[in-house]
CSV table of all heavy atoms in Angstrom, one decimal:
chain,number,residue,atom,x,y,z
A,622,ARG,N,26.1,-8.3,-15.6
A,622,ARG,CA,27.3,-9.2,-15.3
A,622,ARG,C,27.1,-9.9,-14.0
A,622,ARG,O,27.4,-11.2,-13.9
A,622,ARG,CB,28.6,-8.3,-15.2
A,622,ARG,CG,28.9,-7.6,-16.5
A,622,ARG,CD,29.3,-8.4,-17.7
A,622,ARG,NE,28.2,-9.1,-18.3
A,622,ARG,CZ,27.3,-8.5,-19.2
A,622,ARG,NH1,27.6,-7.3,-19.6
A,622,ARG,NH2,26.3,-9.2,-19.8
A,623,GLN,N,26.5,-9.3,-13.0
A,623,GLN,CA,26.2,-10.0,-11.9
A,623,GLN,C,25.2,-11.1,-12.1
A,623,GLN,O,25.3,-12.3,-11.6
A,623,GLN,CB,25.8,-9.0,-10.7
A,623,GLN,CG,25.5,-9.8,-9.3
A,623,GLN,CD,26.7,-10.2,-8.7
A,623,GLN,OE1,27.8,-9.8,-9.0
A,623,GLN,NE2,26.6,-11.1,-7.8
A,624,HIS,N,24.1,-10.9,-12.9
A,624,HIS,CA,23.1,-11.8,-13.2
A,624,HIS,C,23.7,-12.9,-14.0
A,624,HIS,O,23.4,-14.1,-13.7
A,624,HIS,CB,22.0,-11.0,-14.1
A,624,HIS,CG,21.0,-12.0,-14.6
A,624,HIS,ND1,20.0,-12.4,-13.9
A,624,HIS,CD2,20.8,-12.6,-15.8
A,624,HIS,CE1,19.2,-13.2,-14.5
A,624,HIS,NE2,19.8,-13.4,-15.8
A,625,ASP,N,24.7,-12.7,-14.8
A,625,ASP,CA,25.3,-13.7,-15.6
A,625,ASP,C,26.0,-14.7,-14.7
A,625,ASP,O,25.8,-16.0,-14.9
A,625,ASP,CB,26.3,-13.2,-16.6
A,625,ASP,CG,25.7,-12.8,-17.9
A,625,ASP,OD1,24.6,-13.4,-18.3
A,625,ASP,OD2,26.3,-11.9,-18.6
A,626,LEU,N,26.7,-14.3,-13.7
A,626,LEU,CA,27.4,-15.1,-12.8
A,626,LEU,C,26.5,-16.0,-12.0
A,626,LEU,O,26.7,-17.2,-11.8
A,626,LEU,CB,28.3,-14.3,-11.8
A,626,LEU,CG,29.5,-13.7,-12.4
A,626,LEU,CD1,30.3,-12.8,-11.3
A,626,LEU,CD2,30.5,-14.8,-13.0
A,627,GLN,N,25.3,-15.4,-11.6
A,627,GLN,CA,24.4,-16.2,-10.9
A,627,GLN,C,23.7,-17.2,-11.8
A,627,GLN,O,23.4,-18.4,-11.3
A,627,GLN,CB,23.2,-15.3,-10.2
A,627,GLN,CG,23.9,-14.4,-9.2
A,627,GLN,CD,23.0,-13.2,-8.8
A,627,GLN,OE1,21.9,-12.9,-9.5
A,627,GLN,NE2,23.2,-12.6,-7.6
A,628,LEU,N,23.5,-16.8,-13.0
A,628,LEU,CA,22.8,-17.7,-14.0
A,628,LEU,C,23.7,-18.9,-14.3
A,628,LEU,O,23.2,-20.0,-14.3
A,628,LEU,CB,22.4,-16.9,-15.2
A,628,LEU,CG,21.9,-17.8,-16.4
A,628,LEU,CD1,20.5,-18.4,-16.1
A,628,LEU,CD2,21.8,-16.9,-17.7
A,629,ILE,N,25.0,-18.6,-14.6
A,629,ILE,CA,25.9,-19.7,-15.0
A,629,ILE,C,26.1,-20.7,-13.7
A,629,ILE,O,26.0,-21.9,-14.0
A,629,ILE,CB,27.3,-19.0,-15.2
A,629,ILE,CG1,27.2,-18.3,-16.5
A,629,ILE,CG2,28.4,-20.2,-15.2
A,629,ILE,CD1,28.5,-17.4,-16.8
A,630,GLN,N,26.1,-20.2,-12.5
A,630,GLN,CA,26.1,-21.1,-11.3
A,630,GLN,C,24.8,-21.9,-11.3
A,630,GLN,O,24.9,-23.1,-11.0
A,630,GLN,CB,26.3,-20.3,-10.2
A,630,GLN,CG,26.5,-21.1,-8.8
A,630,GLN,CD,26.6,-20.2,-7.6
A,630,GLN,OE1,26.1,-19.2,-7.5
A,630,GLN,NE2,27.4,-20.8,-6.6
A,631,SER,N,23.7,-21.3,-11.5
A,631,SER,CA,22.4,-22.1,-11.4
A,631,SER,C,22.3,-23.1,-12.5
A,631,SER,O,21.5,-24.1,-12.4
A,631,SER,CB,21.3,-21.0,-11.5
A,631,SER,OG,21.0,-20.6,-12.9
A,632,GLU,N,23.1,-23.0,-13.7
A,632,GLU,CA,23.0,-23.9,-14.7
A,632,GLU,C,23.9,-25.0,-14.5
A,632,GLU,O,24.1,-26.0,-15.3
A,632,GLU,CB,23.3,-23.2,-16.0
A,632,GLU,CG,22.3,-22.3,-16.5
A,632,GLU,CD,21.0,-23.0,-17.0
A,632,GLU,OE1,21.2,-24.1,-17.5
A,632,GLU,OE2,20.0,-22.4,-17.0
A,633,GLY,N,24.7,-25.1,-13.4
A,633,GLY,CA,25.7,-26.2,-13.0
A,633,GLY,C,26.9,-26.0,-13.7
A,633,GLY,O,27.7,-27.0,-13.6
A,634,VAL,N,27.3,-24.8,-14.1
A,634,VAL,CA,28.6,-24.7,-14.7
A,634,VAL,C,29.5,-24.2,-13.7
A,634,VAL,O,29.3,-23.0,-13.1
A,634,VAL,CB,28.5,-23.7,-16.0
A,634,VAL,CG1,29.9,-23.4,-16.5
A,634,VAL,CG2,27.6,-24.3,-17.1
A,635,ALA,N,30.6,-24.8,-13.5
A,635,ALA,CA,31.6,-24.4,-12.4
A,635,ALA,C,32.7,-23.7,-13.1
A,635,ALA,O,33.6,-24.4,-13.6
A,635,ALA,CB,32.1,-25.6,-11.6
A,636,LEU,N,32.7,-22.4,-13.2
A,636,LEU,CA,33.7,-21.6,-13.8
A,636,LEU,C,35.1,-21.6,-13.0
A,636,LEU,O,35.1,-21.8,-11.8
A,636,LEU,CB,33.3,-20.2,-13.8
A,636,LEU,CG,32.1,-19.8,-14.8
A,636,LEU,CD1,31.8,-18.3,-14.5
A,636,LEU,CD2,32.5,-20.1,-16.2
A,637,ASP,N,36.1,-21.6,-13.8
A,637,ASP,CA,37.4,-21.5,-13.2
A,637,ASP,C,37.7,-20.0,-12.9
A,637,ASP,O,38.7,-19.7,-12.0
A,637,ASP,CB,38.6,-22.1,-14.1
A,637,ASP,CG,38.5,-23.5,-14.2
A,637,ASP,OD1,38.8,-24.3,-13.3
A,637,ASP,OD2,38.1,-24.0,-15.2
Side-chain angles (χ1 to χ4, degrees):
R622 298 297 73 85
Q623 183 66 19
H624 175 80
D625 274 335
L626 287 176
Q627 294 167 343
L628 175 64
I629 291 167
Q630 183 181 35
S631 73
E632 291 286 333
V634 176
L636 293 171
D637 292 289

